[in-house]
Amino acid sequence: MDTRVVITDERNRKAKRILPEEEKPQWWAMSAPYQREMKAKELLDSHGIANFVPMHWEKKVLPRGGWKEVLVPVIHNLIFAYCTKTRIQQVKKGVPYLQFHTRPEDGAAASDRQLRVPIIVPDKQMEDFMRVCGTFSRHLHFYGPDELPDLAAGTPVRIKSGSLKGVEGTFVRIKGHRSRKVVINIPFVASVVPMTIDASEIEEVV
């Protein structure tokens, strides 16, 4: 393991160990084929690995009539796991319902399946995504990686008030909506659009 030691306080002889990126706990976007995201969650829970499945309220018809609302996964086959690369590789070994979500390697063609790498979600990006999903608002809209316009053409913004204060996203116009929306995006994986946010509640990220 390529571990480095960095001196943080020479006078008091203090130092810290710097682990290589793959050995730091990180958020991994994982695939749980055939809608087995909850089974994958049970597996990760049993190993003490922090994880997250985006959920929303859905009406369920009862056998004897009527209905009730239950929390169910909103994006099938998707789960996020927080641990080191070594740990997640150990846990998913031989498990067909837990695999890495991958993206094209930098510079590689999207069609080249040999040059793909696991998707790591930066902590801040994951925190914002979980905060928005965690509201369980009925006004949330979820989109797949190819369902939105080019977000690079939008304006990076930060919500400056309310329960989502500090959340960062992209202010962009979405087809079918009259006004521009704040999109919290995890590239190659998914995007979530929270309830309508007034322009006065956001500020541009410089």
Side-chain angles (χ1 to χ4, degrees), residues 51-71:
N51 59 84
F52 179 71
V53 176
M55 310 280 280
H56 73 156
W57 290 105
E58 186 175 279
K59 289 183 178 180
K60 180 180 180 180
V61 178
L62 299 175
R64 296 185 179 181
W67 55 270
K68 69 175 182 178
E69 288 193 313
V70 294
L71 277 173

Side-chain angles (χ1 to χ4, degrees), residues 24-181:
K24 292 181 181 179
Q26 300 179 98
W27 280 106
W28 302 90
M30 307 296 295
S31 173
Y34 303 108
Q35 301 185 13
R36 289 184 287 186
E37 57 277 353
M38 298 311 292
K39 184 169 181 151
K41 177 174 176 56
E42 290 178 6
L43 175 68
L44 294 173
D45 286 344
S46 71
H47 285 274
I49 295 176
N51 59 84
F52 179 71
V53 176
M55 310 280 280
H56 73 156
W57 290 105
E58 186 175 279
K59 289 183 178 180
K60 180 180 180 180
V61 178
L62 299 175
R64 296 185 179 181
W67 55 270
K68 69 175 182 178
E69 288 193 313
V70 294
L71 277 173
V72 297
V74 68
I75 305 174
H76 287 303
N77 309 328
L78 177 64
I79 185 171
F80 299 91
Y82 184 74
C83 58
T84 65
K85 186 175 184 180
T86 297
R87 183 68 172 137
I88 196 63
Q89 286 178 323
Q90 291 173 340
V91 170
K92 78 180 193 65
K93 186 176 181 180
V95 179
Y97 56 85
L98 186 63
Q99 303 297 326
F100 284 122
H101 250 304
T102 62
R103 64 171 179 80
E105 192 175 85
D106 293 342
S111 58
D112 193 338
R113 295 185 176 275
Q114 299 300 315
L115 297 175
R116 298 186 68 84
V117 294
I119 295 174
I120 300 172
V121 186
D123 288 356
K124 168 62 175 169
Q125 198 174 66
M126 192 68 212
E127 177 188 333
D128 288 351
F129 186 79
M130 290 192 294
R131 281 184 64 190
V132 174
C133 294
T135 65
F136 301 120
S137 170
R138 291 170 176 77
H139 300 290
L140 294 180
H141 295 279
F142 291 86
Y143 297 88
D146 302 317
E147 294 181 302
L148 288 177
D150 182 10
L151 295 180
T155 303
V157 295
R158 180 187 301 111
I159 299 173
K160 61 181 183 179
S161 62
S163 61
L164 297 180
K165 181 179 179 180
V167 168
E168 296 180 2
T170 305
F171 201 42
V172 68
R173 188 173 297 283
I174 301 175
K175 185 177 180 180
H177 293 270
R178 293 183 179 180
S179 59
R180 291 194 291 172
K181 301 290 183 181

